Amino acid sequence: MIDLKLLRQDPDVVRASQVARGDDPGLVDQVLDADARRRAALTDFETLRAEQKSLGKQVASAQGEEKQALLAKAKTLAEQVKALQADADAADALAAELARRIGNVVEDGVPAGGEDDYVVLRHEGTPRDFAAEYGADFAVRDHLELGEGLAAIDTERGAKVSGARFYYLTGIGARLELALLNAAVDRALAAGFTPVITPTLVKPEIMAGTGFLGAHADEIYRLEADDLYLVGTSEVALAGYHSGEILDLSGGPLRYAGWSACYRREAGSYGKDTRGIIRVHQFHKVEAFSYTTVEDAADEHRRILGWEEEMLALAGLPYRVIDTAAGDLGSSAARKFDCEAWLPSQQRYLELTSTSNCTTFQARRLGVRERTADGEVRPVATLNGTLATTRWIVAILENHQQADGSVRVPEGLRPYLGGLEVLEPTTPSGGGSR
């Protein structure tokens, strides 16, 4: 939820943010109107309450007809006080509901526009020239062809058992995912994160508190019988971990690395990335999550981006860093940087990591606060970022493929695969690579 104090003091900033996101700036005025009505009702309420108390003293000392008249007046005042309280409560509820529809105020410098209006900040690494290496006739294999040749990915049986966009990782495929996730945990430990294996089912108030039940609620699986939601990222469970608490941030950020299965309905993605494991309903991920002070949030955001890039370097992937446009941030983020790896089979970049600075937006909804050195209690800032996920297998297989269908293991992952240097093709019944 946005800061209502900011909205009252500088509504133009919030209006500009809404415009940059492509959202309705008129919501700002609707919130301000409801808030003004709430405060006016409360002012009248307090005035009548004071009159009511004064009248009560007069009733106590009055006699006869005077007392009856005062009692009648007291009854009328009581009804008016009750009505004003109801008006204030209704205006407060309306202001809160409208405020929840306003996205976080975007940071200065965030590109305006939608999904295609990002700004490329830099490129790291150089995509391989397969034609130069293997000849002009070399046909780049995509990750599914490579994965099937390695007996690592089985989408046919995944669809048989669970339906479209499900899969099995088998043999070296399973080992490769575990290698990635364990490497991410090691990176997180080195950076001062506490590893956490999180719940993947959460209550509605936690899902709503993180900002995922807005415009993209149709992306989320809901278990109606239990009134629980399946998370699409451990960010949700980690954001709720300290809900309703006052944190001590005097020693620096509180950092958690959540390992979880993730579930996404992929509603609205019909026909997009249907081949292989790029866009699927279930995957695993290690997510970095930080609670920090408002003043430190931008620096922590850059630090998380740096740790993501260390993981990409460990996997030996060429990639670019983009500054995501306001309309593609999601409601809770004030800024988001994505790292996109080069995908040789499609000659395009594929998002592998995303890190968001959510400032105080989630913390206000979830009641996560800190006590400052001077005793003030205020909302904290929350940040998140991907350290590794199943999708990385796509980029690793394609970028490190060799002419015979084998795949070279990036040096950074070899310690997590028992020193294995090359993944060799095998038959589906062959038990994986040597």
Side-chain angles (χ1 to χ4, degrees), residues 283-418:
F283 55 94
H284 288 94
K285 182 167 65 159
V286 173
E287 180 84 352
F289 193 92
S290 295
Y291 296 91
T292 192
T293 64
V294 173
E295 293 79 9
D296 180 56
D299 288 339
E300 182 73 354
H301 197 194
R302 300 284 180 173
R303 289 191 286 266
I304 293 175
L305 176 60
W307 293 319
E308 290 179 333
E309 293 193 67
E310 287 179 18
M311 279 296 301
L312 290 163
L314 179 145
L317 297 173
Y319 64 94
R320 69 182 183 183
V321 182
I322 68 168
D323 195 354
T324 306
D328 197 31
L329 288 176
S331 64
S332 59
R335 189 166 215 155
K336 180 160 71 83
F337 300 118
D338 289 350
C339 293
E340 301 179 329
W342 179 247
L343 193 62
S345 68
Q346 297 186 27
Q347 293 290 291
R348 69 177 177 95
Y349 284 94
L350 174 70
E351 178 196 325
L352 292 193
T353 79
S354 180
T355 176
S356 296
N357 180 3
C358 297
T359 61
T360 61
F361 188 85
Q362 294 176 331
R364 289 180 187 281
R365 291 175 171 227
L366 293 167
V368 188
R369 297 167 294 165
E370 63 151 336
R371 194 181 305 278
T372 64
D374 60 6
E376 178 190 0
V377 176
R378 63 176 189 173
V380 303
T382 60
L383 302 98
N384 62 80
T386 312
L387 293 180
T389 188
T390 306
R391 183 184 280 189
W392 287 41
I393 294 173
V394 173
I396 289 171
L397 295 181
E398 292 202 11
N399 281 282
H400 296 298
Q401 65 180 287
Q402 302 187 108
D404 61 356
S406 64
V407 175
R408 183 179 59 82
V409 178
E411 289 188 19
L413 290 179
R414 290 176 188 175
Y416 299 93
L417 289 168

Side-chain angles (χ1 to χ4, degrees), residues 39-346:
R39 287 187 288 165
L42 284 176
T43 298
D44 292 342
F45 169 82
E46 294 297 338
T47 300
L48 287 184
R49 279 285 291 161
E51 185 178 346
Q52 192 178 35
K53 290 178 182 179
S54 175
L55 192 62
K57 295 177 182 178
Q58 296 177 46
V59 169
S61 60
Q63 300 290 329
E65 292 182 1
E66 180 187 8
K67 186 167 188 174
Q68 293 304 313
L70 289 172
L71 285 171
K73 185 176 181 181
K75 181 179 179 181
T76 300
L77 274 177
E79 292 172 351
Q80 291 175 333
V81 166
K82 185 178 179 180
L84 284 170
Q85 181 67 68
D87 289 346
D89 290 344
D92 186 48
L94 177 60
E97 190 276 327
L98 291 169
R100 281 181 173 268
R101 291 165 53 190
I102 297 177
N104 200 357
V105 177
V106 300
E107 285 187 9
D108 289 341
V110 171
E115 183 179 0
D116 299 324
D117 296 309
Y118 57 83
V119 171
V120 178
L121 299 179
R122 65 179 184 278
H123 289 81
E124 300 290 344
T126 304
R128 289 170 63 188
D129 185 343
F130 287 99
E133 290 185 43
Y134 301 130
D137 294 333
F138 177 74
V140 174
R141 296 176 175 88
D142 73 3
H143 74 281
L144 183 58
E145 182 180 353
L146 290 162
E148 289 176 339
L150 298 168
I153 302 172
D154 190 336
T155 56
E156 184 176 340
R157 289 187 175 94
K160 177 180 71 175
V161 170
S162 300
R165 299 186 189 271
F166 285 94
Y167 58 96
Y168 285 87
L169 294 181
T170 57
I172 195 60
R175 291 178 62 194
L176 185 55
E177 180 178 88
L178 289 170
L180 277 166
L181 299 180
N182 277 299
V185 169
D186 281 353
R187 175 61 262 163
L189 281 168
F193 286 79
T194 298
V196 183
I197 294 177
T198 67
T200 55
L201 287 165
V202 299
K203 297 177 180 179
E205 59 265 30
I206 301 299
M207 187 65 81
T210 54
F212 284 95
L213 288 186
H216 299 288
D218 59 350
E219 286 286 321
I220 302 167
Y221 286 106
R222 178 169 180 257
L223 280 66
E224 294 187 16
D226 302 287
D227 197 19
L228 292 171
Y229 290 91
L230 280 166
V231 300
T233 167
S234 61
E235 170 196 343
V236 178
L238 292 171
Y241 188 58
H242 286 300
S243 60
E245 298 180 21
I246 297 176
L247 308 182
D248 180 5
L249 298 179
S250 60
L254 291 182
R255 296 177 177 138
Y256 299 99
W259 179 320
S260 76
C262 305
Y263 304 89
R264 297 184 184 176
R265 291 186 62 237
E266 292 295 344
S269 64
Y270 181 80
K272 295 180 181 178
D273 294 318
T274 56
R275 179 173 166 81
I277 61 170
I278 293 177
R279 194 184 291 268
V280 291
H281 292 308
Q282 177 184 332
F283 55 94
H284 288 94
K285 182 167 65 159
V286 173
E287 180 84 352
F289 193 92
S290 295
Y291 296 91
T292 192
T293 64
V294 173
E295 293 79 9
D296 180 56
D299 288 339
E300 182 73 354
H301 197 194
R302 300 284 180 173
R303 289 191 286 266
I304 293 175
L305 176 60
W307 293 319
E308 290 179 333
E309 293 193 67
E310 287 179 18
M311 279 296 301
L312 290 163
L314 179 145
L317 297 173
Y319 64 94
R320 69 182 183 183
V321 182
I322 68 168
D323 195 354
T324 306
D328 197 31
L329 288 176
S331 64
S332 59
R335 189 166 215 155
K336 180 160 71 83
F337 300 118
D338 289 350
C339 293
E340 301 179 329
W342 179 247
L343 193 62
S345 68
Q346 297 186 27

